[in-house]
Amino acid sequence: MPRIDQDVKLDFKDVLIRPKRSTLKSRSDVDLNRTYPFRNSKKEYTGVPIMAANMDTVGTFNMANALGKFDMFTCMHKHYTLQDWEQFDKTATDEMYEKIAISGGTGDLERLTEIIHYITRIKYICLDVANGYSEHFIHFVEKVRRHFPEHTIIAGNVVTPEIVEELILKGADIVKVGIGPGSVCTTRVKTGIGYPQLSAVMECADAAHGLGGHIISDGGCTCPGDVAKAFGAGADFVMLGGMLAGHDQSDGELIERNGQKLKEFYGMSSKTAMEKHVGGVAEYRASEGKAVTVPYKGDVVVTCRDILGGVRSTCTYVGASKLKELSKRTTFIRVTQQENRVFSS
Ligand code: 5GP
């Protein structure tokens, strides 16, 4: 008989963070840098742990250049060729390689091996599939770990603790958490599968940290407050797609419609992505994504400042002088309303 888990699982929209007594004078006192030692690669990360998603329009070299200035991270999309990487490599500094990952799915070992052979400064490998629960994927992570013992491996996506533990034990350093929360994701509608993101992050972070692993909260952030909630829930990194779409640094066509500037943004398993990469990997997320146009937002630098300013402010409200202290000082309260929308259109 099917079982029902009666515990209520929550999303970012279901909670707010309770303010606490604080001795901090200003947001500028808050340090958003974190240092993480990685369990399997034995390497270390120091930086602001917010990432651009490895999506066509967002995980771009231009995005990495801009985000790097804020010490933020970019997971490059998987469609860059060796030639593209060689081009980037000519001008990239060593520091930049501390904040970027190459990405691939289960069919990409050869491509990853070739690029990493030539672009020797690559340190992070992001192994991304729609369904991180398949045994095939778990074996793949094991294999990549054997091939690249010293690279820091990101693997996902999953949403439950037991599989987080398994991926870490098989060689992943950082597990990507999120099934269905994404802004251009249709998995929940197409399949009925998913897990509310805030609860997924809380449960998976606990499991990962118990083993010395790390997690990324991937998908579902719609505003800086959501990013702060993900950190408050215990995420080590927060990955953003939609919030970084529509900028100068994002790929995708700039469209003018009725005097309004728009940019295209699409899911990695949308029809648009499939059509663009014909002959792409068979293991692709079977059309569980959509294509949208988002208002053109100019330079991503402005958006980065807005996000970092928001998270800094969260820290001051709860008395966390460092991002590291945010989750310890977070008490979520369940709410029925996020904001007063009387003047919202
Ligand atoms: P966002 O920040 O836009 O809410 O979520 C970004 C995340 O959505 C990505 O990092 C990725 O995990 C997920 N995603 C991207 N494209 C697709 C897609 O086509 N289908 C699904 N199911 N998820 C996607």
Side-chain angles (χ1 to χ4, degrees), residues 170-312:
K170 293 285 159 60
D173 294 291
I174 313 171
V175 177
K176 217 146 76 80
V177 173
I179 292 188
S183 58
V184 282
C185 168
T186 57
T187 296
R188 292 178 183 178
V189 203
K190 288 275 175 78
T191 68
I193 301 280
Y195 209 103
Q197 186 67 1
L198 185 90
S199 292
V201 167
M202 289 178 75
E203 293 165 23
C204 292
D206 193 46
H209 296 162
L211 287 174
H214 293 88
I215 67 151
I216 300 172
S217 172
D218 175 20
C221 287
T222 59
C223 55
D226 290 345
V227 179
K229 289 174 190 174
F231 283 126
D236 302 294
F237 295 87
V238 179
M239 180 174 263
L240 306 175
M243 283 179 72
L244 297 178
H247 295 93
D248 293 332
Q249 291 83 353
S250 326
D251 276 356
E253 229 174 298
L254 185 64
I255 305 156
E256 266 206 68
R257 199 183 293 150
N258 305 328
Q260 206 200 350
K261 283 187 178 156
L262 305 159
K263 274 194 111 163
E264 64 171 343
F265 177 54
Y266 52 85
M268 295 304 288
S269 7
S270 63
K271 199 163 150 250
T272 310
M274 302 279 212
E275 280 168 1
K276 225 173 189 124
H277 311 293
V278 208
V281 189
E283 175 99 16
Y284 231 69
R285 310 173 166 197
S287 186
E288 286 167 25
K290 58 187 164 194
V292 296
T293 48
V294 297
Y296 167 63
K297 298 179 223 160
D299 196 329
V300 77
V301 163
V302 180
T303 300
C304 288
R305 286 203 188 108
D306 190 48
I307 296 170
L308 301 186
V311 178
R312 275 200 195 95

